[in-house]
Structures are given as C-alpha cells and as structure tokens.
Amino acid sequence: MLTREQAHDIFGVLRKSTSCDEVELLVSGGNFALTRFANNGVTQNVSEENYSFSVRVNLDGRTARATTNKRDAESLKRVVEQAEALARVQQQDPDLLPMPTPREVASHSEGLPDAPPSRYFEATAAMTAGDRAQQVERMVTAGRKHGLTAAGTYSSGAHMEGVFNSRGVTQWHEQSSAEASITMLGENSSGWQKANSTNADDFDAAKLAEIAAEKASLSADPKELPAGKYTVVLEPSAVLDIVGFMFWDFSGLALLDQRSFLNDRVGKQIFGDELNISDDVYHPLQSGFAFDGEGMRRSRVNLVEGGVPKRVTFARATAALMAKSELGRKVGSVQATGHGFALPNEMGEAPMNIVFAPPKDPKTVDQMVNNVEHGILVTRLWYIREVEPYEKILTGMTRDGTFLIENGKVKHGVRNFRFNQGLIAMLSNIEAMSMPVRASGEESIDMVVPAMTVREFNFTEVTKF
C-alpha cells in the first residue's frame, strides 16, 4: 500500500509544479478484494489496488480541483495544470478561505484524543483469496445444513487517506477492513445478515450464516397479514437504514440553505426523551479517519440530547457563513467541527460516525419480543426513499425475515410490507432499545445503533412475497 512517505514525496512534486497561491493534495486508495458466491459456490473473485490523487489550488480568490489515479511525474504535472486551468475560469469567491494552518488545526483539536483507536490489522489486510474462500465455505455449509441456497460476498483489504497542503497541514490514516454479507434462500422465504469491521476477528461469518439460515427456515410459507399500524421490533440493521436518512440534515450548510428538517427545530423537543445521539469517530466500534476534506480534526458532536437536536456539524467555510447569519444565534455552538467534504462542493458537511447512546434500561431483542403482545419483528428494510423531506416521511419495504409476534413469541413468517413512516414520529414512539452495536445495511453508512421497539409503525401495503 502507498506509504505516507511516498505520498509526501508526491506532494513535493506537485508543489514544485504550481505557481498558485496554495495547493492541497488529497490522496486515498488501497487494496480491495472480494469473493462473491451464489448457489452454494464461489462464482467470482476480484481484487484491485488503486489510488486517487486529487489536487486543489487556490488562485487569486478562486479554487478548483482536478484528480488522477496516475503518479508518474508527467501525470502529476498534468493534473496540476488542469486544476490551475479550471481555477482561472472560475468566478472569484468572496467566501473562499485560505487553506488551514497547523496552528488552526491544533486549536480545534484541544481535548480530542491524539488519534482514533488502531484500525489497521495486518492479518485482515493480508487476507488472501484462499482465506476468503474458507470463510465462504463456512457460510455455505450452514446453508446446506438447513437445505437452503446461500449467496453473498466476503471482502477484505486495506485503505489509506491523506491530506497535505502548502501551509503545512499533514494528516494520514490507514485501516484494514473485512465484510461478510449473506442471504439464505428457501423456496418461498429468505434470511439475511451482514457485518463488517476493521478486524476480521470481530465477527464470525459462520454464525452470521446460521442466523440467516434460521430466519429463512422460520419464515417459510409466509402468511399474509393486513396492512396497518403495528408495534414493531426493528433489528439494528433495520434501524440503521431508516434513521440514516436524517443525518445529512445535521449540516450547517443544509440549515443555511433551508433544506434541512431541523430548520426551526434546533433546541426543541422533537424526539422521545430517551434518545441521545452523537457523532464520534473515536468510538471503539466506529471506523474511518479523524479529519475532514481540508485536514481539520473531527470533533465529538452531541447531535441529539434527550430527544432535542442540540448541535449540527460545520466545515470551516460554513462556520464562517453561519457566524455572520441571523441563524447563527439559534443553532448553538458555531465553529468548525471537522466534518467538511473536500472542496469545492455544494453539500458542505455531514456527520459520518453516528453513535446512539445506550438507553437507561437496555433490553435484548428477545426481551423486546417477549414484551410485545401483537406486532411484527423486522430483520431489515430496503429500497427506502424519501417522500416528504421536512417531516422525514420515508417509504420502503421489509425484507429477508419478517415475522408475526403473538403474546411475546415469534409465531411465523409473514409476507413483506411496504411502509410509509415519518422518522420524527417513529423516534417519538420508542418503547424500548437494546445496547447499541455496530450495524451494517444497504441504504446508509455503518453506525452504532440499537434495536428498537416502536409503536404505531405504519405499514401501507402487503407484497406478494
């Protein structure tokens, strides 16, 4: 994998190639390999090593970026020329800030850990196609045992991110990764599980497969229930994929643009008072790098306290704009939090390391099921789309393990539902939560989230499967 020293040398070449006021290099990439399986056998094995060298220049109040994945001297010279050419035809931006300095980065780092926990595990980064095939065999064996067909992926690799700028900021992060996703298929039912971590030893692929197989077996011959409002027990992956739609709105620029559902709601009770959510890249179950697209250190930000949205995230430029805005007096602390995307961009910033706090009285999923007289257990939600942005009304479907709960017991599988559900209402109707865990889905970034029991979840249609 590309080393910090090699990236620094590349930045040196870029600096010598430009006469612009300032230059910045974002470098990212690494090794990624994936083994795909279907019909109880490996069908594909792919691997790639690739790097992106993204160059931004500031020139007389203008800024622009160009990117290449080649690192020979001629390609690096060309990408600088392209960034300069793009900058020269831009309008001057009166809000464009100079690139940050090490002193500015340090002043925003007070009280933060020096770095996140170690997220690079050599054994995970060094996994071979044979290692992944062994994991696939363990998952397929679980399917065969239950008379099911297994399909899915197992991936592994290592990744780096780096920021260098001509004012002296240098940031670097390396991490490994492993991920297993498995679907078990029966004649008229399915079960699913997914997990990932920076350390492959953190999850057991065979155990995941066994859970997926049990779900597929238990939901065979699903029965149809009428649509309507039910008490639901949402497993962590289901919670993840639906709540993920609201965190893009915890952005200072989204507030300034009035495209956030938090406009006029920061500081007001809108969720249940047991809900506490933060953005915390330093949490031991989180992953990723502790700096943003300009190299600013990520702060811990308490987004929701006691059901009240308290703070949003800020890039440097957004914080400066917010401080000059009348809205600045209404949104709490206004300062760069290290959540900005690479410039230039139209999105500003967003929290990327969501962590739900443990509830006062956590329950296991089994305990939550035991406390439901009549309801639905949901393994996952998928194909979720936003219907109404201010009330955060979402539509989507259940999938791969939907069950009837009667008198505290899972009775049998049911046909899947389509739902139309407002997020604010859902997070005001929480009856119980589990301890948060690292969860993965398909619609949202990985988070540390609990399972939830929610009243009056609104299913609007029944599917044919």
Side-chain angles (χ1 to χ4, degrees), residues 176-284:
S176 51
S177 65
E179 179 175 284
S181 177
I182 182 166
T183 302
M184 292 289 185
L185 298 169
E187 287 188 9
N188 54 15
S189 65
S190 61
W192 171 89
Q193 290 289 280
K194 184 178 181 181
N196 69 35
S197 176
T198 55
N199 184 356
D201 291 339
D202 284 348
F203 61 86
D204 185 336
K207 185 175 180 181
L208 291 174
E210 187 64 35
I211 296 170
E214 291 173 357
K215 286 179 175 289
S217 299
L218 185 58
S219 58
D221 302 322
K223 300 176 182 177
E224 183 172 322
L225 293 181
K229 292 187 176 182
Y230 288 84
T231 293
V232 294
V233 176
L234 302 172
E235 294 192 2
S237 290
V239 172
L240 162 89
D241 272 335
I242 191 168
V243 301
F245 276 78
M246 72 177 182
F247 292 109
W248 291 98
D249 295 44
F250 283 79
S251 153
L253 191 59
L255 285 172
L256 288 170
D257 291 345
Q258 296 192 8
R259 55 181 164 83
S260 168
F261 81 99
L262 295 176
N263 280 96
D264 301 324
R265 285 171 169 157
V266 175
K268 298 179 180 178
Q269 182 92 40
I270 62 170
F271 304 129
D273 58 11
E274 69 275 39
L275 205 64
N276 295 280
I277 308 171
S278 63
D279 184 88
D280 184 3
V281 71
Y282 308 97
H283 190 281

Side-chain angles (χ1 to χ4, degrees), residues 57 59-65 81-93:
V57 296
L59 174 64
D60 191 25
R62 302 171 174 85
T63 192
R65 177 179 298 280
E81 291 173 348
Q82 290 170 335
E84 291 177 349
L86 289 168
R88 289 192 183 95
V89 298
Q90 303 298 310
Q91 297 286 336
Q92 282 191 324
D93 181 356

Side-chain angles (χ1 to χ4, degrees), residues 282-298:
Y282 308 97
H283 190 281
L285 295 180
Q286 271 293 349
S287 64
F289 42 100
F291 50 87
D292 71 2
E294 288 188 284
M296 296 293 290
R297 288 285 305 278
R298 292 195 194 281

Side-chain angles (χ1 to χ4, degrees), residues 92-390:
Q92 282 191 324
D93 181 356
D95 297 318
L96 179 66
L97 298 177
M99 293 179 184
T101 64
R103 175 175 294 183
E104 183 177 357
V105 172
S107 71
H108 284 80
S109 305
E110 293 180 4
L112 295 175
D114 291 337
S118 174
R119 288 172 175 163
Y120 185 87
F121 297 87
E122 183 62 41
T124 299
M127 289 184 78
T128 65
D131 295 329
R132 290 189 298 278
Q134 288 181 1
Q135 295 295 332
V136 170
E137 177 61 26
R138 296 175 69 211
M139 292 191 280
V140 167
T141 298
R144 291 195 185 109
K145 185 176 72 175
H146 289 268
L148 301 167
T149 301
T153 59
Y154 193 101
S155 62
S156 62
H159 186 84
M160 43 68 55
E161 298 275 346
V163 178
F164 303 82
N165 78 28
S166 54
R167 304 189 83 191
V169 169
T170 299
Q171 299 283 14
W172 190 257
H173 174 80
E174 296 178 355
Q175 73 176 37
S176 51
S177 65
E179 179 175 284
S181 177
I182 182 166
T183 302
M184 292 289 185
L185 298 169
E187 287 188 9
N188 54 15
S189 65
S190 61
W192 171 89
Q193 290 289 280
K194 184 178 181 181
N196 69 35
S197 176
T198 55
N199 184 356
D201 291 339
D202 284 348
F203 61 86
D204 185 336
K207 185 175 180 181
L208 291 174
E210 187 64 35
I211 296 170
E214 291 173 357
K215 286 179 175 289
S217 299
L218 185 58
S219 58
D221 302 322
K223 300 176 182 177
E224 183 172 322
L225 293 181
K229 292 187 176 182
Y230 288 84
T231 293
V232 294
V233 176
L234 302 172
E235 294 192 2
S237 290
V239 172
L240 162 89
D241 272 335
I242 191 168
V243 301
F245 276 78
M246 72 177 182
F247 292 109
W248 291 98
D249 295 44
F250 283 79
S251 153
L253 191 59
L255 285 172
L256 288 170
D257 291 345
Q258 296 192 8
R259 55 181 164 83
S260 168
F261 81 99
L262 295 176
N263 280 96
D264 301 324
R265 285 171 169 157
V266 175
K268 298 179 180 178
Q269 182 92 40
I270 62 170
F271 304 129
D273 58 11
E274 69 275 39
L275 205 64
N276 295 280
I277 308 171
S278 63
D279 184 88
D280 184 3
V281 71
Y282 308 97
H283 190 281
L285 295 180
Q286 271 293 349
S287 64
F289 42 100
F291 50 87
D292 71 2
E294 288 188 284
M296 296 293 290
R297 288 285 305 278
R298 292 195 194 281
S299 302
R300 290 186 175 112
V301 182
N302 291 330
L303 303 172
V304 178
E305 295 180 25
V308 179
K310 287 286 190 179
R311 292 186 62 194
V312 298
T313 52
F314 290 102
R316 295 168 68 236
T318 305
L321 288 172
M322 184 66 81
K324 293 185 290 187
S325 164
E326 291 184 2
L327 192 58
R329 295 191 297 273
K330 303 177 181 178
V331 296
S333 175
V334 177
Q335 59 180 342
T337 60
H339 291 80
F341 300 121
L343 295 172
N345 75 78
E346 297 177 342
M347 297 300 293
E349 60 282 308
M352 303 300 289
N353 298 94
I354 301 299
V355 177
F356 280 61
K360 291 180 181 177
D361 184 20
K363 306 292 186 185
T364 66
V365 171
D366 286 343
Q367 288 172 324
M368 293 160 75
V369 168
N370 291 341
N371 291 329
V372 173
E373 183 176 341
H374 178 72
I376 305 294
L377 171 64
V378 177
T379 299
R380 66 182 295 206
L381 303 172
W382 72 296
Y383 205 47
I384 304 171
R385 297 294 181 267
E386 193 170 77
V387 176
E388 200 283 322
Y390 191 66

